[in-house]
Each structure stands twice: as structure tokens, then as C-alpha cells.
Amino acid sequence: MSGLFLNWSLDSFGSVIRSLADIFIVWLILYYVLRLARSNSRTTQIFKGILLVIIVDALSNLLGLKTVKYFADMFINWGFLALIIIFQPELRSMLEKLGKTNVFSRISSLSGNEKEHLVDQIVTAVMLLSKDKTGALISIERSQSLDDYVATGTKLNSDVTAEILTSIFVTTTPLHDGAVIIQGDKIACASAYFPPTNLDLPGRYGARHRAAVGISEITDAVTVVVSEETGNVSVTEGGRMMSVNERQLRDYLLRTICGQSTPVDASESGNDETETGSGNDQEEPSSRRFPFFHAESEQEKEEEKMEELHDEAARIKLPQNHKHDRPIPSYPQQDRKIPSFTEAEKQMAEIEEKKAHEHARIEPESVSGLKRSEEDDDGKGDEPHA
Ligand SMILES: Nc1ncnc2c1ncn2[C@@H]1O[C@H](COP(=O)(O)OP(=O)(O)OP(=O)(O)O)[C@@H](O)[C@H]1O
């Protein structure tokens, strides 16, 4: 009797699990279909059209309109094929993303302390680069592989330290153009090229910010951009860009990389630092959970940490005037043209290319930026930054 009962309960447990899995899969498909439908106005219109045909089909069935029903049915039957053709690019990128997604990503294999160390090194480097108004683009790989983009740069495979990160972006070095990619606890490469976004960004954002948004549209990487013009720091993820101050940057990276649930009050792109140096009023969850003296001690701890990172950043000395002594950008010479979005940028890229050709004519073997920076020491190569 008890064996029968056990069998029955195991059977019903199995069928409950099966039903839950069934519902979950259908929910997942619906979720992605609706997300796709909402992603742009074209897909929204197409889905509205499909809904209309389904309504016509149901109505014609109800009213017995045979010819209308025949055509509506035909449309629905063949519509599936038409949808695959129409959404081919979206489906391809969705499958590509799925294929590149790795549950056991490099970053997930790091321990909590290693992740926090990684975040602190990045934040320290960004603090210094931002203060020095040295442009930078740093992408951190998450579950979707960035190997394809690492291949466009110069491989490094070095430890992630604030010193190395800042050195890379010093403008008199050959690797400063392009992006640094971090995979796990290593700097995989520098000087990588990212496909820029086609979105209409505000005019103040140039090629570097476009590249940062671009990579965030096609992968789940988190990218930090430091503006050379203003020193402002932005983060891009999932096709969105946010301006952050140093504290918000640390919170954001801790949350996305270490999974720590510290909310960030980072406003949408264009909103500059609003809280620099002040206590973070948004860090309520932990203090609400432990209302005794936890909030204070947590805030104090964070303040201490930020001070530590400030001291660390202050210890690193960047060469003075490196932005005035910068060589011809190595970027266009490596056949990775900076996409030009305005006429001025286009002209700049053409001038740079022309100069690169002239340079190659004088000394064909000296294409490396290192050689060029040596020449700059003689005062020959002063170039304004594009
Ligand atoms: N597609 C790209 N992938 C990687 N890096 C890029 C790309 N396009 C531009 N960059 C980097 O950005 C630099 C040019 O930045 P630009 O001044 O046009 O951008 P910006 O968004 O206005 O940033 P900033 O505020 O720093 O001037 C290039 O020298 C190069 O290092």
C-alpha cells in the first residue's frame, strides 16, 4: 500500500516538474518573441499585422465567410516561413548570442576576492585616466565570448593592474588606440576594434563612445569609457550608456561582475557626475536589512575603500604632456578605420590616412607606433588628436 502511494507521489511529482518545465519554456519563447516585437518600430508594425490577420481569421470563422477564411488561413500557414525570412538578421544575431554564451565563463571562475580585486584595479585606473583626461575604452567579458574582438587587437594576456591599464592608454604608446579587453583576471588585448553603434547619440559623443555602445549591443560585456575631452566616465551595457562618478562606477562593477546587490544611481547618458565625493544615498538595501549600525559601518568601509583607491591612483605617475607629444594614431594604419560620422571626422580620418601613407613612403618598415613615438622625441611627429 505504502509502495503504491510512493509510486503515485513520484509520478505526480514528475508530472508537476514536466508541467513547470513546459510552462517555463513557453514563457521563455513568448518573452523573447515579445522582446523582439518591441525592439523596434518595424517589428512592432509586423506583429500588429499578424495580430490583425489572426483576428480576421477568427471573425471569418465565426461569421462563416469561407473565402476570407481561406485566404487568412493561407496567410497564417505561409506566414511562418515569411517571418523567418523577414526576421533573418534578428534570428541570426539571437542564435549567435546563444552560441557565444558560456555558463562557465572566465569571469565566473574567479573567486569573490579576485573579482573585487579586478574591480578595484579598473576603478583605480579609471580614476587616474579621468583626472588626467586620457581617453580609454575598457571592456569586461562576461558570459558571451569576446574572442572575435580580441583577435582584432594586440594580445597581451597580462595581469589586470591599474599601472598596466593606465600605461596602455598613455597616448605616446603604440597600443593606446582602440579598446582593452579583460577576460577573467587577464588583460587579453589592447588596441581592439569594436563595431560602432548606428544609434543616434548626442553630438558630444564621438567614435570611442559609439564603439562602447556598439559592443554592448552585440554582447553582454560591460564597457567603461573615459572621455579624453571631458574626463567623464561612462558605462555601457545592453545598448545603453550611463554617466557615472567613481563611486557609482565601483558599485556598478561590483554589481555586474561580483553580483553584489548595491544599486547604482546612474542616470541615462548625458547626465554628468552628481554625487562625486558625497555619501551614496542610494545604498539602502543592506542598511535597511541591518538597521542597527550596519549602514554606517558599511558606508565607512566604502569610504575607506575609495580613499585607498584614490591613494593608489595618486601613486601612479603618468608621463606629463603625453597628449601633446602623441604620435600619429596607429589606428587607421592597422586597416581599422575609425568610422566617421561627421564631415569633420571624415576629413580627419583622410588626413591621418594620407600622413600614414607618406610616413610609410619615407620608411616602409617603420609602421609600428613605437618607432613613430621615438621620432616624436625629435619633435617631428606632433599631431592633434582626432
Ligand atoms: N570602433 C572603435 N573601436 C575601438 N576604439 C575606437 C573605435 N573608434 C574609435 N576608437 C577610439 O577612440 C578614439 C577616438 O575617439 P573620439 O575622440 O572620436 O571619441 P569620443 O567618443 O569623442 O571620445 P573623447 O571624448 O575621448 O574624445 C580613437 O583614437 C580610438 O582610440
Side-chain angles (χ1 to χ4, degrees):
M1 182 68 182
S2 65
L4 196 69
F5 179 73
L6 189 72
N7 254 353
W8 179 81
S9 56
L10 275 180
D11 270 359
S12 59
F13 181 69
S15 71
V16 167
I17 294 289
R18 259 195 304 278
S19 306
L20 283 179
D22 208 19
I23 293 167
F24 178 70
I25 291 167
V26 172
W27 174 82
L28 212 65
I29 293 171
L30 268 178
Y31 172 76
Y32 277 105
V33 168
L34 287 178
R35 228 173 79 155
L36 189 68
R38 283 190 50 193
S39 62
N40 62 45
S41 59
R42 187 174 71 109
T43 47
T44 312
Q45 296 309 326
I46 290 172
F47 271 85
K48 272 185 191 164
I50 294 170
L51 206 67
L52 194 72
V53 174
I54 292 172
I55 292 170
V56 168
D57 188 51
L59 278 179
S60 57
N61 194 24
L62 206 74
L63 303 172
L65 307 173
K66 282 192 184 146
T67 322
V68 178
K69 179 154 175 54
Y70 171 78
F71 280 111
D73 279 347
M74 211 159 76
F75 193 88
I76 289 171
N77 290 339
W78 288 100
F80 183 66
L81 205 66
L83 276 185
I84 291 180
I85 295 167
I86 294 169
F87 288 115
Q88 193 217 356
E90 283 87 354
L91 288 173
R92 198 173 52 198
S93 88
M94 213 163 80
L95 291 175
E96 246 176 44
K97 270 188 189 175
L98 213 65
K100 280 183 183 168
T101 302
N102 186 0
V103 185
F104 305 104
S105 58
R106 294 172 178 99
I107 199 105
S108 66
S109 66
L110 302 182
S111 69
N113 280 350
E114 285 170 331
K115 285 182 191 167
E116 200 167 331
H117 176 73
L118 181 76
V119 168
D120 287 343
Q121 293 303 309
I122 297 170
V123 174
T124 308
V126 169
M127 274 177 180
L128 182 56
L129 291 166
S130 159
K131 194 167 162 233
D132 195 58
K133 291 196 180 169
T134 298
L137 183 57
I138 305 170
S139 262
I140 304 141
E141 181 189 83
R142 294 209 289 167
S143 60
Q144 285 164 11
S145 168
L146 294 181
D147 283 350
D148 288 351
Y149 307 101
V150 170
T152 67
T154 304
K155 292 210 172 59
L156 291 177
N157 199 29
S158 79
D159 287 346
V160 182
T161 66
E163 284 90 344
I164 297 178
L165 282 175
T166 45
S167 303
I168 289 173
F169 289 108
V170 166
T171 48
T172 40
T173 67
L175 294 182
H176 78 275
D177 265 322
V180 157
I181 297 179
I182 293 176
Q183 293 182 313
D185 59 352
K186 295 282 174 206
I187 299 177
C189 78
S191 225
Y193 178 82
F194 291 158
T197 179
N198 288 323
L199 286 178
D200 273 337
L201 296 187
R204 63 181 175 279
Y205 296 119
R208 198 189 317 268
H209 290 83
R210 288 195 157 275
V213 177
I215 193 70
S216 78
E217 286 172 335
I218 47 177
T219 69
D220 67 347
V222 174
T223 302
V224 184
V225 205
V226 180
S227 166
E228 182 162 26
E229 250 164 70
T230 59
N232 283 352
V233 181
S234 310
V235 180
T236 67
E237 192 196 345
R240 280 156 34 104
M241 180 156 65
M242 289 165 282
S243 279
V244 286
N245 63 31
E246 52 205 35
R247 181 184 283 265
Q248 290 169 334
L249 174 69
R250 186 166 185 271
D251 286 348
Y252 193 93
L253 294 181
L254 284 178
R255 188 160 58 84
T256 48
I257 293 173
C258 311
Q260 293 182 12
S261 57
T262 322
V264 181
D265 177 33
S267 39
E268 285 287 325
S269 64
N271 194 351
D272 291 335
E273 295 180 11
T274 49
E275 290 195 275
T276 314
S278 69
N280 194 343
D281 301 336
Q282 310 303 317
E283 293 152 18
E284 280 185 350
S286 51
S287 43
R288 268 195 199 146
R289 270 182 276 131
F290 310 102
F292 322 105
F293 48 84
H294 193 88
E296 222 169 90
S297 71
E298 188 131 303
Q299 197 153 325
E300 270 171 19
K301 241 165 59 185
E302 259 194 47
E303 243 140 52
E304 263 173 38
K305 190 76 205 177
M306 290 311 288
E307 260 174 41
E308 216 179 275
L309 298 187
H310 264 290
D311 292 347
E312 186 68 31
R315 265 199 293 276
I316 305 170
K317 297 279 173 260
L318 293 184
Q320 296 215 322
N321 289 331
H322 65 95
K323 276 177 278 177
H324 303 294
D325 299 339
R326 63 185 301 161
I328 300 165
S330 53
Y331 217 61
Q333 271 200 314
Q334 294 167 11
D335 278 329
R336 290 181 237 130
K337 279 184 207 148
I338 300 170
S340 29
F341 300 96
T342 64
E343 214 37 52
E345 273 185 306
K346 209 167 163 181
Q347 282 169 7
M348 208 59 199
E350 274 168 17
I351 292 167
E352 277 166 9
E353 207 169 1
K354 224 160 122 194
K355 278 185 184 154
H357 278 303
E358 278 169 16
H359 188 78
R361 267 210 301 278
I362 299 164
E363 219 179 322
E365 74 282 6
S366 68
V367 281
S368 92
L370 190 62
K371 230 10 202 298
R372 268 181 275 123
S373 77
E374 282 165 5
E375 280 169 13
D376 284 334
D377 290 340
D378 307 336
K380 286 182 200 164
D382 281 0
E383 288 297 326
H385 174 43

